[in-house]
Amino acid sequence: PTRRSSDLHDLAVVTHLCERIAVMTRGAIVENTTAEALASEQVRHPYTLELLESNRQVGGDLPESSI
């Protein structure tokens, strides 16, 4: 089943709930990636990188992907 959230910013939770993740900003998808790639920071878009950095500042690094 597909899980969707229009307002979920906790990337640690997202990587455990989803296999694929679409990062949106200003109503547009800017990155479409796998949870594994997100957890290992294999992303390219500056906004995705900002989300990863903000996650580190709030609660630490993302846990190892369980996928």
Side-chain angles (χ1 to χ4, degrees), residues 4-67:
R4 295 175 190 224
S5 174
S6 60
D7 192 27
L8 189 57
H9 296 95
D10 188 335
L11 297 181
V13 172
V14 171
T15 59
H16 286 291
L17 293 178
C18 306
E19 292 179 14
R20 294 208 54 84
I21 298 160
V23 177
M24 294 181 69
T25 184
R26 299 180 181 171
I29 294 175
V30 294
E31 186 136 33
N32 190 349
T33 188
T34 64
E36 185 176 353
L38 185 67
S40 63
E41 299 186 25
Q42 297 174 1
V43 294
R44 293 179 291 243
H45 196 275
Y47 184 70
T48 308
L49 295 170
E50 286 180 33
L51 287 175
L52 289 168
E53 181 60 30
S54 69
N55 191 79
R56 264 191 228 89
Q57 292 173 5
V58 172
D61 290 334
L62 292 177
E64 290 292 319
S65 176
S66 60
I67 298 175

